[in-house]
Amino acid sequence: MTTTPKPELTPTVEELEAQERRLVLGRFTHDDAWALGSLLVELARERQAPVAIDIHRAGQQLFHAALPGSTPDNDAWIARKRRVVERYGSSSYLVGARFRAKGTTFEESSRLDPDTYAAHGGSFPITVEGVGVVGAVTLSGLPQLQDHRLVVEALEHFLSRA
């Protein structure tokens, strides 16, 4: 007898917004980018995830890693997802979810070039308390909800160590 795997529950817009309110940092330095990026590499390696990881702050790339199985296409996805965070100040997955909640899609209704912007999961704003969004941590290589969840998991671990 085989069991069918349960489908992943898709988070609501409210749940995604709550994640962003909860995952706020006291600061974000170059060393913090290295620590967060290294933590993401560690989590991805444990899962043998074929991902690329990127951390940007104020227009500067502070961390990048490409794990076995990732491709140059992952870097293109990273750039497109990161631009969504930079433009909207919210996670790329949340931006896409907001469009879906209105009965449309980002591609249909944003009026932005889909070759430049992608509201797919995997890019999350780096928000500093009292400052706002200062950058983005982005992962590409898994299905979009898994990309999003891995970044959230890393931020949760990172905050618990602070």
Side-chain angles (χ1 to χ4, degrees), residues 90 96 137 160:
S90 295
V137 52
S160 72

Side-chain angles (χ1 to χ4, degrees), residues 31 98 120:
D31 289 339
R98 285 177 173 151
H120 291 258

Side-chain angles (χ1 to χ4, degrees), residues 3 81 105:
T3 57
K81 292 191 244 186
T105 66

Side-chain angles (χ1 to χ4, degrees), residues 80-96:
R80 292 168 58 218
K81 292 191 244 186
R82 186 186 72 246
R83 286 185 198 106
V84 167
V85 172
E86 291 167 349
R87 185 173 185 113
Y88 289 88
S90 295
S91 78
S92 53
Y93 192 79
L94 173 55
V95 171

Side-chain angles (χ1 to χ4, degrees), residues 14-54:
E14 293 75 21
E15 290 168 332
L16 295 166
E17 289 171 343
Q19 283 177 343
E20 291 189 11
R21 286 191 300 273
R22 189 176 77 249
L23 298 173
V24 175
L25 307 173
R27 64 173 195 182
F28 196 72
T29 66
H30 288 78
D31 289 339
D32 293 326
W34 180 261
L36 177 58
S38 298
L39 174 59
L40 262 167
V41 167
E42 182 183 322
L43 292 171
R45 283 188 190 278
E46 286 172 4
R47 294 163 171 86
Q48 297 180 358
V51 299
I53 300 159
D54 176 90

